[in-house]
Amino acid sequence: MKNYIVLVSCYQIFILIYLIELPNAKGNITGKNVQGKKDAAEGCFCKLSGTVDDCECKVENVDFFNNLRIQPLLHEILQTDYFRYFKVNLNKKCPFWYDDHQCSLKDCAIDKCKMDEIPIGLKESSHQDTKENKYSEKANSEEHTCEEKVKLAALDKTISDESKQAFQSWSAFDDAQMTFCEIDDELSSEMEYVDLLLNPEKYTGYRGHSPHRIWNSIYDENCFKPNPTYAYGSPQLKAGDQLEGICLEKRVFYRMISGLHTSINIHLSAKYLFPDTVYKPSRWGMNVKEFKQRFDPETTAGQGPQWLKNLYFTYLVELRAIAKASPYLEMESFYTGNETNDLKVKNDIKKFLDAVRSFNDHFDESKLFQGDSIQAKKLKAQFQIHFRNISRIMDCVGCDKCKLWGKLQVQGMGTALKILFSGNSIGPNSVVNANKKNNFQLRRTEIVSLINAFGRLSESIKELNTFRNTMM
């Protein structure tokens, strides 16, 4: 009898311990893990409040405005034919270095992929235990077969015959509208339409040496810095540490690139491919661990929260560009050949632009490149050259889906900058003169990339809210 009592007591103690560690109804962990989880969330999000750097707008206002007003409208617009098809050249050679990566390329045939051909960065960490490697050793050593990598990186180029016929009429319509804004490869035979809805931005298995070289080239060679020597660490970390002592224009450039980088990393974490396990088949879902690895202060030398805040800066810059171009965009027909759908897009865009214009704290581009001094003109020219270089670096991306979204978002950001510094005046109340199209013109691909790029930023801010709720 005594033994029975002892067994019951041990069982009760076991149940008590189990209940202490059991997830509650909201998915939180009770007991000691609650505080640890809360600390981790507060660490990542500790700077997501108050005024956005180099702006007058508050993070909280952007969250409310984007998540309740802008995001629902954008979601509907980006489903339409005009905005889902993006014309792009994915076959351009990298102009800066030999493109030697394997398996993440669309034409990496499965029968040619041997283990000794796969870059070491895809098999294991090539920069173990260094700040330069933004992934953990475990993350870099996660195995995906070559076949899996090809599937993850491959583009779905399915386009219906009906859509192909419509594209011909779209081009004829553009020519009739005397669109003359130069875009690389616009007349190239290698330009092709890609359905963005069939190729969403998400995890592709593209990691290791190749993407590190892309971002290193962007930050190390094309972001402004006060001196030619960087401290040791990852390219984004090094560039961020150099912000003190440089002018507003150079800070703006860095924050925009950092915000874009942050947005991409959020999407890769939010739409992550979990591999097969003995308990579950492979699946897509939100990876909190990956998110923390990319933004937690402990894994980013304290810079991750600032990178998240830079996302809001990039959002505000592109939001302002759309507001400035709103009279121009309202005059567009958004032609696809389907009169009913085209009219609906125009009406949806009108609602979207009305919402954009209602925002009270737009970015003020008039603070940049002030005056007509030689120094201001020289700085503006450098700004343009650096950004043009970054757009060319996108042709060095070794994963087709990554390249697609990289080119689209960089082009969208470039279109936003073009809008901000065009027109008869510059400043928060200025607009592009839509009645004089010969002085300013946006091609279809610029409009598509502008709205889709802003859509990516908008979605990232929404995803941040989801991550925060999950981690708290």
Side-chain angles (χ1 to χ4, degrees):
M1 185 67 177
K2 291 181 180 180
N3 291 337
Y4 175 75
I5 294 173
V6 170
L7 287 174
V8 171
S9 299
C10 289
Y11 177 75
Q12 289 174 332
I13 293 173
F14 172 78
I15 291 296
L16 178 61
I17 294 174
Y18 175 76
L19 289 174
I20 290 175
E21 298 297 329
L22 187 68
N24 63 23
K26 294 183 179 180
N28 294 325
I29 304 297
T30 59
K32 293 181 179 179
N33 286 345
V34 171
Q35 187 60 42
K37 197 173 183 183
K38 184 177 180 181
D39 290 344
E42 289 178 349
C44 289
F45 299 99
C46 63
K47 290 194 175 182
L48 291 190
S49 62
T51 305
V52 178
D53 300 280
D54 291 322
C55 294
E56 297 181 359
C57 180
K58 293 185 180 298
V59 168
E60 295 85 351
N61 293 344
V62 175
D63 280 332
F64 180 84
F65 175 73
N66 177 75
N67 297 339
L68 295 183
R69 297 201 61 188
I70 291 297
Q71 227 292 311
L73 293 171
L74 266 180
H75 179 75
E76 289 296 319
I77 290 170
L78 296 179
Q79 307 297 308
T80 64
D81 285 352
Y82 186 93
F83 288 101
R84 70 182 289 181
Y85 295 112
F86 179 57
K87 195 175 185 182
V88 62
N89 181 359
L90 297 175
N91 299 313
K92 292 178 66 177
K93 299 296 183 182
C94 174
F96 301 111
W97 57 75
Y98 175 66
D99 212 7
D100 59 353
H101 37 265
Q102 302 287 333
C103 285
S104 58
L105 289 170
K106 65 180 178 60
D107 57 350
C108 176
I110 296 173
D111 60 348
K112 293 181 180 180
C113 284
K114 301 176 182 179
M115 288 304 294
D116 59 352
E117 293 177 332
I118 301 175
I120 190 171
L122 297 177
K123 296 184 291 185
E124 61 183 355
S125 173
S126 58
H127 306 281
Q128 294 181 5
D129 300 324
T130 68
K131 291 182 180 179
E132 185 173 5
N133 186 18
K134 67 178 180 179
Y135 301 108
S136 65
E137 180 179 352
K138 180 180 179 182
N140 269 317
S141 63
E142 287 177 353
E143 290 290 341
H144 288 284
T145 66
C146 180
E147 182 178 3
E148 287 174 333
K149 291 183 182 299
V150 170
K151 289 180 179 178
L152 287 170
L155 284 170
D156 186 337
K157 295 186 177 181
T158 305
I159 301 288
S160 67
D161 291 337
E162 183 180 358
S163 294
K164 290 179 180 178
Q165 293 177 1
F167 296 155
Q168 296 178 1
S169 66
W170 293 8
S171 297
F173 184 83
D174 283 342
D175 292 339
Q177 296 301 302
M178 297 181 64
T179 55
F180 58 85
C181 181
E182 284 288 337
I183 298 179
D184 290 344
D185 298 321
E186 182 66 18
L187 301 178
S188 170
S189 60
E190 294 187 319
M191 293 285 284
E192 57 185 336
Y193 281 100
V194 176
D195 188 335
L196 298 176
L197 296 186
L198 291 181
N199 299 279
E201 185 181 26
K202 57 185 179 180
Y203 176 81
T204 65
Y206 183 53
R207 56 174 44 179
H209 174 64
S210 181
H212 176 80
R213 181 165 55 175
I214 296 293
W215 287 112
N216 187 71
S217 181
I218 289 173
Y219 286 114
D220 198 10
E221 300 172 18
N222 292 286
C223 272
F224 296 98
K225 48 187 181 289
N227 58 67
T229 304
Y230 272 148
Y232 183 74
S234 71
Q236 188 175 15
L237 178 62
K238 292 182 291 185
D241 281 344
Q242 299 292 317
L243 286 185
E244 291 187 12
I246 64 175
C247 64
L248 173 62
E249 289 83 357
K250 296 178 180 180
R251 294 200 306 272
V252 164
F253 192 98
Y254 166 76
R255 293 196 199 284
M256 289 186 68
I257 299 302
S258 176
L260 169 61
H261 193 179
T262 295
S263 179
I264 291 172
N265 283 335
I266 290 173
H267 289 296
L268 302 188
S269 301
K271 296 178 176 63
Y272 189 89
L273 180 63
F274 291 91
D276 283 318
T277 68
V278 293
Y279 302 106
K280 294 181 180 180
S282 62
R283 67 198 188 284
W284 293 97
M286 176 177 290
N287 190 331
V288 173
K289 185 176 181 181
E290 183 77 10
F291 178 86
K292 289 171 61 179
Q293 178 68 26
R294 294 172 185 265
F295 298 111
D296 191 277
E298 293 186 2
T299 58
T300 61
Q303 292 297 311
Q306 182 60 54
W307 298 342
L308 290 175
K309 199 169 188 178
N310 289 340
L311 166 66
Y312 288 76
F313 180 85
T314 307
Y315 178 95
L316 288 170
V317 171
E318 295 195 15
L319 179 72
R320 165 63 193 136
I322 294 173
K324 182 170 183 175
S326 59
Y328 180 98
L329 294 173
E330 285 182 330
M331 290 184 64
E332 285 296 307
S333 62
F334 300 100
Y335 176 81
T336 66
N338 186 315
E339 186 175 350
T340 301
N341 289 346
D342 293 351
L343 180 60
K344 183 180 185 306
V345 173
K346 278 186 67 69
N347 291 334
D348 289 346
I349 285 288
K350 177 65 166 60
K351 295 176 184 177
F352 168 66
L353 295 176
D354 286 342
V356 169
R357 284 188 292 250
S358 72
F359 192 66
N360 294 323
D361 296 309
H362 280 293
F363 175 75
D364 184 1
E365 71 273 15
S366 66
K367 295 180 180 179
L368 303 174
F369 312 112
Q370 291 186 355
D372 295 323
S373 67
I374 296 177
Q375 182 62 28
K377 293 179 180 178
K378 180 180 178 180
L379 186 59
K380 189 173 184 179
Q382 291 176 335
F383 202 95
Q384 293 171 321
I385 291 171
H386 281 302
F387 193 85
R388 191 176 298 116
N389 282 342
I390 291 175
S391 67
R392 298 176 69 198
I393 291 172
M394 291 300 103
D395 289 314
C396 301
V397 175
C399 157
D400 270 351
K401 283 185 180 176
C402 305
K403 181 186 292 187
L404 167 68
W405 285 103
K407 289 173 73 76
L408 181 146
Q409 291 177 85
V410 168
Q411 181 174 299
M413 185 180 291
T415 302
L417 293 172
K418 170 183 173 180
I419 293 169
L420 289 181
F421 300 109
S422 297
N424 299 328
S425 60
I426 295 176
N429 297 318
S430 66
V431 295
V432 175
N433 192 334
N435 295 319
K436 295 183 179 180
K437 281 197 170 185
N438 59 322
N439 294 329
F440 177 82
Q441 187 73 27
L442 292 176
R443 295 189 68 89
R444 183 189 301 270
T445 54
E446 289 180 297
I447 296 174
V448 172
S449 63
L450 174 68
I451 302 302
N452 270 283
F454 183 68
R456 294 288 78 210
L457 299 174
S458 174
E459 181 72 18
S460 291
I461 289 176
K462 178 185 175 183
E463 294 285 7
L464 270 185
N465 186 58
T466 304
F467 272 112
R468 182 172 3 208
N469 290 338
T470 302
M471 294 169 65
M472 292 296 287

